[in-house]
Amino acid sequence: MSSSATRHAVTSADRAGAGDGTGSVELRSVRKSFGGVTVVQDLDLSVNPGEFLSLLGPSGCGKTTTLRMLAGFEQPDSGEVLISGAAVQHLPPHKRDVNTVFQSYALFPHMTVAANIAYGLRQRRGIDRAEIRSRVSEALDMVQMTRFADRKPNRLSGGQQQRVALARALVNRPSVLLLDEPLAALDRKLREDMQVELKLLQNRLGTTFVFVTHDQEEALSMSDRVAVMRNGRIEQIADPYTVYERPATAFVAGFIGQQNFFDGTVADGGRAIEIEGGTVLLAEPVTTPGSGAAAVRVAVRPEAVAVTEAAPTEPDGSANALPGTVAAVSLLGDVLQYVVHADAGHELLARVPRRQAGRLAEGARVRCSWAPSDVHVFPAEATPRAPIGSAK
């Protein structure tokens, strides 16, 4: 797989239409309600030509409604939708230079793969048969399905059907491709393979991709930028590294990956946080409004937590450390995951590279510690706690 740096070096000079704005997407103060419930709230979003942007968030956050407004299947109550610089919010789907790939492949069962791909072209005027054959052949080659051209969909695997759905959308050469959780129905291994293929395909084509998913790993692995949505708004939009390493809100911190959360109060002029059973030192002081000990929530990622053996009765008054007992051990490929019940009542999750992990068994006395640079601090009022091991 290409590195991110190589990928941008290849595509930055080759984005189709980047100079004239072809393939750009913009939402301006877009709002949408259903039955008096607002699901998209004054949303502003810009997507660059040739960019792979993912809309990520839990069910009900407004990501699919946003995509449907781009596609033309829903009209905004207010605001503007622009594709390639032109306002399209009042245009039907077939008059927008976009195509949509859905979770359900919606292939015609009585048609061959080639006929499914050609269907949209045959509905358009001005495209002769030779041009249709050429473009279908190109699309089949693009998704590596040439040898299946004469098969019917019921003789294809799920991944192959998804490739056909992609080819059917791409054969029209849209400036923007919209993808609504297209990999959700695939098994894990096939889904991971298709993630790589999608990323490489988009890299080669230079087409703008707007991808909707609730799967954080999917979004992080493929996207140039990720827009994390909550309650119809964008909580943070940035490149995957920034979203993961520097979450803007506690919601983003908890939704992207997993976190150990501790409630506490600011101490020592903002240089430390007092939590139940210990003190958390910070790499940089935090500022809080007013005076006194402000309530905050501290977040530390599991991979930042070191787990070492401790004496059975060893007290530990160290900062950024909590003693406890191993409650569970799980092997996650090349990573060992420990669930530790801290003496102070916290439940900690730690993930350690398998080759670096000690042989700690359930019931072992341990010390969990972390560096000040791995601590994130958020206001207490907007920080829903996610249980350890919960799906993200």
Side-chain angles (χ1 to χ4, degrees), residues 88-246:
V88 298
Q89 63 270 14
H90 300 304
L91 296 180
H94 68 278
K95 292 190 175 181
R96 304 186 185 199
D97 190 16
V98 302
N99 271 102
T100 307
V101 179
F102 300 98
Q103 179 178 337
S104 59
Y105 314 130
L107 303 178
F108 295 111
H110 63 288
M111 293 184 181
T112 64
V113 165
N116 265 282
I117 295 171
Y119 181 81
L121 294 176
R122 288 174 175 159
Q123 306 311 304
R124 295 165 61 179
R125 295 180 179 178
I127 305 179
D128 61 34
R129 291 182 179 181
E131 173 71 6
I132 290 174
R133 284 196 300 270
S134 174
R135 287 170 64 169
V136 169
S137 177
E138 176 186 321
L140 283 166
D141 183 62
M142 194 184 303
V143 297
Q144 302 175 42
M145 288 292 290
T146 299
R147 65 192 180 97
F148 300 101
D150 296 324
R151 286 195 184 181
K152 299 285 183 64
N154 63 358
R155 295 181 59 204
L156 301 176
S157 69
Q160 290 167 342
Q161 290 185 52
Q162 186 56 270
R163 288 189 182 95
V164 177
L166 279 169
R168 185 177 56 186
L170 291 169
V171 76
N172 293 307
R173 298 175 181 170
S175 60
V176 180
L177 186 65
L178 308 175
L179 302 106
D180 187 8
E181 303 201 52
L183 310 182
L186 305 179
D187 63 62
R188 182 180 180 87
K189 179 64 170 64
L190 185 54
R191 188 166 66 247
E192 290 173 349
D193 290 343
M194 285 297 297
Q195 288 170 14
V196 175
E197 290 187 25
L198 260 182
K199 182 173 182 177
L200 294 176
L201 180 63
Q202 192 268 345
N203 179 39
R204 188 164 81 249
L205 296 175
T207 303
T208 306
F209 277 28
V210 180
F211 188 94
V212 161
T213 181
H214 63 273
D215 186 319
Q216 49 169 303
E217 293 180 4
E218 198 165 79
L220 294 175
S221 68
M222 293 192 294
S223 311
D224 295 317
R225 287 190 301 157
V226 178
V228 183
M229 295 188 66
R230 180 191 186 197
N231 297 334
R233 301 179 185 276
I234 293 176
E235 290 263 318
Q236 183 175 9
I237 181 168
D239 64 272
Y241 180 88
T242 299
V243 169
Y244 190 86
E245 294 291 340
R246 296 194 295 276

Side-chain angles (χ1 to χ4, degrees), residues 231-276:
N231 297 334
R233 301 179 185 276
I234 293 176
E235 290 263 318
Q236 183 175 9
I237 181 168
D239 64 272
Y241 180 88
T242 299
V243 169
Y244 190 86
E245 294 291 340
R246 296 194 295 276
T249 67
F251 172 79
V252 174
F255 188 80
I256 302 292
Q258 290 180 299
Q259 295 278 3
N260 295 294
F261 283 114
F262 309 100
D263 294 316
T265 54
V266 176
D268 194 19
R271 291 182 289 273
I273 308 296
E274 295 296 335
I275 65 172
E276 187 71 29

Side-chain angles (χ1 to χ4, degrees), residues 330-351:
S330 303
L331 177 63
L332 307 178
D334 60 350
V335 173
L336 273 181
Q337 176 174 282
Y338 296 105
V339 177
V340 177
H341 289 163
D343 296 346
H346 309 287
E347 188 174 64
L348 283 81
L349 193 65
R351 289 178 178 165

